[in-house]
């Protein structure tokens, strides 16, 4: 039996898809600097791949809230939400995210991945003759959730409203239609076509599920996301977000109508049968959301650093994907070249920037995903671009 595992690992290595996990030790208050431990050696590196772009993971208000909760409530919730796992903090955070998105109901999950898995599978159980319409670039959690739901599905071409319209036309008029898409796609860095999809959903009586994990905190009024930024939040039925990106903690959520949310709460097995988030985590997330609803300083600084990074890359002939977001993608050519450049950045320039390969991105579109933060300085940005330029010249 073991030989099958060995054969599979060898296949991954041949295809340059074998994943290595390097030990990165964050240093509180010193980001983007971190300590890399590898093969019994340690060195300081500069990180360019963290999703904690607003550095809320180091925000004093967040840390204080977590410490206070730890001292008050302990480390563990002690059970699922139906047992001992619903505290005043869990309820407060659910109310906060529902208010943030202008909805009636909030529901917490242990991660954004679980939020997608739980909600989509629940919708398939609740809605008769359910059909999902999913953007081809949707996150792995959405793809897996739809697959596990066993519901009928149609995949529409990325950000292609005409293709989506054709698929909606072909579906049975009596079916329960659910359109699932993202507001900000995590590898391309492009925005979803929210306005066009909202119009199609209205015409074909489809329920709208939007994944805003890469947008909440960083976009929109009070950090409410891109649908909010475009004044389309009221057109969305279910908003899914998480606390592990711009909010700097961990966990996921949905915000929706009270009836829809209550149904999902009662049906979603990965909500019902799992220990709830620890109180200190919930306290930190609550403090982060509340802070970013009032402060725009971090969002402004992030976009300034993103603009400078893009401008500097373009000036050096390193053309990032064209988008309006904080996610900067650069093609590497192929998986083999990407790994070599990533290794050179790490070993020669002390820059930690992993390359993205299949299945994270399709074959032929391997890339670096550069994530500037509010803590990167102008000097850091120029050093990154200098180093990247040398790598691209070396492996041209």
């Amino acid at each position: 039996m073991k030989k099958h595992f060995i054969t599979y690992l060898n296949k991954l290595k041949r295809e340059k898809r074998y994943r290595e996990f390097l030990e990165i030790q964050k240093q509180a208050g010193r980001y983007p600097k971190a300590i890399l431990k590898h093969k019994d050696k340690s060195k300081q590196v500069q990180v360019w791949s963290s999703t904690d772009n607003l550095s809320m993971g180091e925000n004093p208000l967040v840390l204080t809230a977590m410490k206070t909760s730890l001292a008050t409530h302990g480390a563990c919730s002690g059970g699922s939400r139906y047992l001992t796992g619903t505290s005043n903090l869990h309820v407060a955070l659910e109310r906060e995210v529902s208010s943030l998105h202008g909805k009636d109901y909030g529901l917490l999950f242990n991660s954004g991945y679980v939020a997608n898995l739980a909600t989509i599978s629940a919708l398939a159980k609740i809605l008769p003759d359910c059909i999902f319409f999913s953007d081809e670039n949707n996150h792995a959690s959405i793809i897996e959730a739809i697959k596990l739901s066993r519901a009928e599905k149609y995949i529409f071409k990325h950000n292609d409203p005409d293709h989506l319209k054709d698929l909606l036309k072909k579906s049975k008029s009596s079916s329960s239609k659910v359109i699932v898409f993202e507001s900000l796609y995590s590898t391309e860095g492009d925005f979803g076509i929210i306005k066009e999809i909202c119009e199609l959903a209205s015409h074909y009586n489809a329920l709208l599920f939007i994944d805003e994990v890469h947008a909440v905190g960083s976009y929109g009024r009070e950090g409410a996301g891109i649908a909010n930024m475009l004044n389309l939040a009221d057109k969305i039925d279910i908003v899914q977000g998480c606390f592990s990106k711009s909010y700097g903690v961990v966990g996921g959520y949905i915000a929706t109508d009270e009836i829809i949310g209550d149904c999902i709460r009662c049906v979603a097995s990965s909500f019902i049968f799992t220990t709830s988030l620890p109180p200190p985590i919930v306290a930190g997330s609550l403090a982060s959301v509340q802070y970013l609803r009032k402060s725009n300083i971090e969002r402004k600084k992030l976009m300034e650093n993103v603009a400078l990074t893009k401008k500097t890359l373009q000036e050096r002939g390193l053309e990032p994907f064209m988008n309006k977001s904080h996610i900067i993608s650069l093609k590497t050519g192929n998986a083999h070249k990407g790994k070599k450049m990533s290794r050179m950045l790490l070993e020669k320039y002390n820059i930690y920037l992993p390359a993205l390969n299949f299945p994270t991105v399709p074959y032929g579109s391997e890339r670096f995903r550069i994530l500037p933060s509010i803590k990167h300085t102008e000097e850091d940005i120029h050093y990154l671009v200098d180093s990247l330029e040398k790598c691209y010249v070396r492996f041209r």
Side-chain angles (χ1 to χ4, degrees):
M1 185 68 73
K2 195 172 182 178
K3 67 179 182 181
H4 298 298
F5 293 95
I6 295 170
T7 299
Y8 194 81
L9 284 174
N10 287 336
K11 178 177 180 288
L12 291 177
K13 289 174 181 178
R14 281 197 311 274
E15 295 174 355
K16 307 299 179 187
R17 294 197 290 125
Y18 180 73
R19 293 175 183 264
E20 294 182 68
F21 294 90
L22 300 182
E23 189 177 333
I24 299 289
Q25 190 169 303
K26 289 181 69 178
Q27 298 174 288
R30 300 199 66 203
Y31 188 82
K33 295 180 175 65
I35 299 296
L36 172 72
K37 291 189 175 183
H38 186 54
K39 295 179 180 177
D40 298 323
K41 293 182 180 178
S42 297
K43 69 174 181 177
Q44 184 172 273
V45 296
Q46 191 179 96
V47 177
W48 279 91
S49 56
S50 173
T51 56
D52 186 13
N53 50 20
L54 303 183
S55 200
M56 291 303 294
E58 298 181 352
N59 184 287
L61 290 176
V62 172
L63 298 182
T64 298
M66 294 181 76
K67 290 173 184 174
T68 301
S69 177
L70 184 63
T72 305
H73 304 289
C76 180
S77 68
S80 70
R81 291 291 299 273
Y82 287 93
L83 297 175
T84 62
T86 296
S87 70
N88 62 319
L89 288 168
H90 292 81
V91 173
L93 183 53
E94 287 174 337
R95 287 175 178 165
E96 193 71 36
V97 294
S98 64
S99 169
L100 174 70
H101 293 289
K103 304 297 183 187
D104 302 323
Y105 199 92
L107 200 59
L108 298 184
F109 298 90
N110 287 18
S111 71
Y113 194 110
V114 174
N116 278 338
L117 207 64
T119 305
I120 288 170
S121 62
L123 290 173
K125 293 176 185 176
I126 296 163
L127 299 172
D129 197 14
C130 181
I131 302 176
F132 290 107
F133 297 82
S134 177
D135 188 289
E136 66 178 345
N137 280 12
N138 276 341
H139 188 262
S141 59
I142 295 173
I143 296 168
E144 187 71 10
I146 293 174
K147 187 188 300 181
L148 291 174
S149 77
R150 298 184 181 178
E152 189 176 354
K153 67 177 184 293
Y154 290 103
I155 310 301
F156 61 92
K157 294 175 185 175
H158 178 53
N159 274 350
D160 188 334
D162 293 329
H163 189 217
L164 174 57
K165 183 178 181 179
D166 288 342
L167 294 175
L168 288 164
K169 274 184 182 178
K170 290 175 185 175
S171 64
K172 289 184 291 185
S173 59
S174 60
S175 64
S176 302
K177 303 172 182 64
V178 182
I179 303 173
V180 187
F181 67 114
E182 299 183 38
S183 67
L184 173 53
Y185 290 87
S186 61
T187 56
E188 299 289 327
D190 57 338
F191 294 156
I193 49 168
I194 302 176
K195 182 175 183 292
E196 293 88 340
I197 290 178
C198 286
E199 290 169 354
L200 287 170
S202 176
H203 185 78
Y204 290 95
N205 193 30
L207 186 140
L208 280 182
F209 180 106
I210 191 169
D211 180 319
E212 289 250 34
V213 297
H214 287 275
V216 289
S218 291
Y219 298 84
R221 293 179 300 280
E222 301 183 354
I226 293 168
N228 170 279
M229 183 176 76
L230 299 176
N231 295 315
L232 294 169
D234 62 324
K235 308 292 183 185
I236 307 294
D237 297 292
I238 303 173
V239 180
Q240 185 265 334
C242 75
F243 307 110
S244 58
K245 306 290 191 291
S246 297
Y247 291 122
V249 194
V250 72
Y253 68 88
I254 60 167
T256 185
D257 166 85
E258 185 172 2
I259 300 298
I260 294 173
D262 203 25
C263 273
I264 292 168
R265 177 185 68 87
C266 293
V267 170
S269 59
S270 48
F271 172 80
I272 297 168
F273 299 108
T274 191
T275 301
S276 69
L277 286 167
I281 296 294
V282 179
S285 298
L286 179 59
S288 187
V289 175
Q290 289 175 335
Y291 174 84
L292 286 174
R293 291 190 74 176
K294 296 175 182 175
S295 175
N296 199 43
I297 297 169
E298 290 76 12
R299 287 186 281 273
K300 184 173 181 292
K301 177 61 177 175
L302 175 65
M303 295 311 168
E304 288 172 357
N305 279 358
V306 168
L308 178 59
T309 306
K310 287 180 177 179
K311 177 175 177 287
T312 310
L313 285 166
Q314 289 169 337
E315 288 173 349
R316 300 295 183 86
L318 300 171
E319 291 297 328
F321 288 27
M322 296 302 294
N323 63 49
K324 296 179 180 179
S325 78
H326 67 282
I327 297 171
I328 304 174
S329 289
L330 282 177
K331 280 196 174 182
T332 59
N334 56 56
H336 188 58
K337 188 186 288 187
K339 283 200 168 187
K340 282 189 171 181
M341 286 197 284
S342 184
R343 191 177 301 118
M344 181 176 172
L345 285 169
L346 188 59
E347 294 176 354
K348 192 168 183 179
Y349 301 108
N350 296 327
I351 289 174
Y352 182 67
L353 181 63
L356 301 186
N357 302 315
F358 181 86
T360 306
V361 295
Y363 284 117
S365 66
E366 292 84 359
R367 68 197 66 176
F368 286 125
R369 184 178 68 174
I370 302 166
L371 298 175
S373 77
I374 64 171
K375 294 291 186 178
H376 286 100
T377 65
E378 187 172 336
E379 182 182 359
D380 293 336
I381 292 168
H382 285 289
Y383 181 70
L384 169 73
V385 176
D386 287 343
S387 304
L388 278 169
E389 184 180 28
K390 289 166 186 172
C391 287
Y392 275 85
V393 169
R394 169 70 177 80
F395 294 103
R396 183 175 295 160

